[in-house]
Amino acid sequence: MIKNFTKQKLQDEKHVLGTFLVLNSPCVAEVLSHAGFDFLIIDMEHGMISIETAGLMINSMKGTNVTPFIRIPVNSPVEIKQALDAGAYGIMVPMVNSKEDAQLAVRSCHYPALGIRGVGAGHASLYGLNMEEYISNIEKEIMVMVQIETEEGVLNIEEIASVPGIDIIFIGPTDLASSLGVIGQNNSEKLHDAIKKVLDVCKKYNKKIGIFCFTSEEIVKYASMGFSFLGLGLDSSFLLTSAVQAIDGVKKHIKE
Ligand code: 3PY
Ligand code: MG
């Protein structure tokens, strides 16, 4: 039985909070599935994660209410099919720049007649044992998330947001800044104007919007602006930050 609690909370007009997993570790996924996040996004775009490991990471979240998503490296029906067969309840697609890109993402996530997803007896359907139940559940519970993270995507946001079947418009501020010519400048006015434009269009089309944040302060700011799908940091950054803090805390008290 598939139950996407993240989707439910969004339908109930709540905020949802998650993080990205770039470490290819089922154990890290297991630990973070008990931390209190609503969703975990296995990042096959920037993490060194194979589809086999992604499947094991999803397995390790079982028994919790956390929603397993996969960010695929590229907008491809084949990669989306494999990610869903591995057990993801939703797909995040990077670099969606046009209406056609958004339509391809939606069609890749659904079986005919809505889409073009092939039928496979993968892990998600318990190797075919739960095929019928899986198909009817996933078609209801799946979330399609498209990333706006280029100047072109911002220019075409009206057309992208009006494509049926898109659950979340997710801003990637790092790539967006890069595309706008202000790479690494998180506080650039150009970036903020582009984010505001995407937000306004999403409000106009009553579309749920999400964003990646580096800090809790940013999460609070964007939540109050109308963002409901909130991505906070990465597994590796949580690990690194707490290690650095722990080291800093003892450094002046020990002989080095
Ligand atoms: C970006 O900031 O570019 C992202 O894709 C965040 O996930
Ligand atoms: Mg990005």
Side-chain angles (χ1 to χ4, degrees), residues 45-46 71 94-95 147-149 170-176:
E45 184 193 16
H46 291 297
R71 174 160 70 180
M95 307 277 176
Q147 280 198 262
I148 301 299
E149 48 184 353
F170 188 80
I171 296 181
T174 319
D175 278 314
L176 184 52

Side-chain angles (χ1 to χ4, degrees), residues 96 146-150 153-154 157 160 169-173 176 198:
V96 170
V146 296
Q147 280 198 262
I148 301 299
E149 48 184 353
T150 64
V154 176
I157 186 60
I160 294 171
I169 300 280
F170 188 80
I171 296 181
L176 184 52
V198 176

Side-chain angles (χ1 to χ4, degrees), residues 142-181:
I142 194 169
M143 279 171 64
V144 183
M145 297 162 278
V146 296
Q147 280 198 262
I148 301 299
E149 48 184 353
T150 64
E151 191 169 20
E152 193 186 350
V154 176
L155 278 176
N156 293 327
I157 186 60
E158 291 254 3
E159 285 196 348
I160 294 171
S162 53
V163 168
I166 303 275
D167 295 287
I168 302 287
I169 300 280
F170 188 80
I171 296 181
T174 319
D175 278 314
L176 184 52
S178 162
S179 167
L180 292 170

Side-chain angles (χ1 to χ4, degrees), residues 95-220:
M95 307 277 176
V96 170
N97 297 328
S98 64
K99 180 174 86 181
E100 290 72 25
D101 287 351
Q103 284 169 334
L104 179 65
V106 173
R107 281 167 55 69
S108 302
C109 285
H110 288 283
Y111 294 111
L114 219 54
I116 54 171
R117 180 179 173 192
V119 184
H123 168 72
S125 64
L126 203 58
Y127 305 96
L129 218 57
N130 291 344
M131 203 68 205
E132 245 175 78
E133 187 191 326
Y134 171 71
I135 291 174
S136 61
N137 273 321
I138 194 69
E139 286 293 305
K140 285 198 299 276
E141 299 294 326
I142 194 169
M143 279 171 64
V144 183
M145 297 162 278
V146 296
Q147 280 198 262
I148 301 299
E149 48 184 353
T150 64
E151 191 169 20
E152 193 186 350
V154 176
L155 278 176
N156 293 327
I157 186 60
E158 291 254 3
E159 285 196 348
I160 294 171
S162 53
V163 168
I166 303 275
D167 295 287
I168 302 287
I169 300 280
F170 188 80
I171 296 181
T174 319
D175 278 314
L176 184 52
S178 162
S179 167
L180 292 170
V182 287
I183 192 165
Q185 295 174 39
N186 214 17
N187 285 324
S188 135
E189 206 169 306
K190 225 172 165 186
L191 175 64
H192 288 172
D193 289 349
I195 292 174
K196 181 75 175 45
K197 179 177 173 195
V198 176
L199 176 64
D200 289 345
V201 170
C202 286
K203 283 183 175 165
K204 177 173 158 193
Y205 285 92
N206 205 16
K207 221 10 103 187
K208 299 282 181 201
I209 179 164
I211 190 161
F212 174 81
C213 297
F214 291 97
T215 64
S216 311
E217 290 73 28
E218 277 185 302
I219 292 277
V220 173

Side-chain angles (χ1 to χ4, degrees), residues 80-93:
I80 291 177
K81 175 167 53 185
Q82 290 185 338
L84 290 171
D85 284 353
Y89 290 7
I91 299 293
M92 182 173 282
V93 183

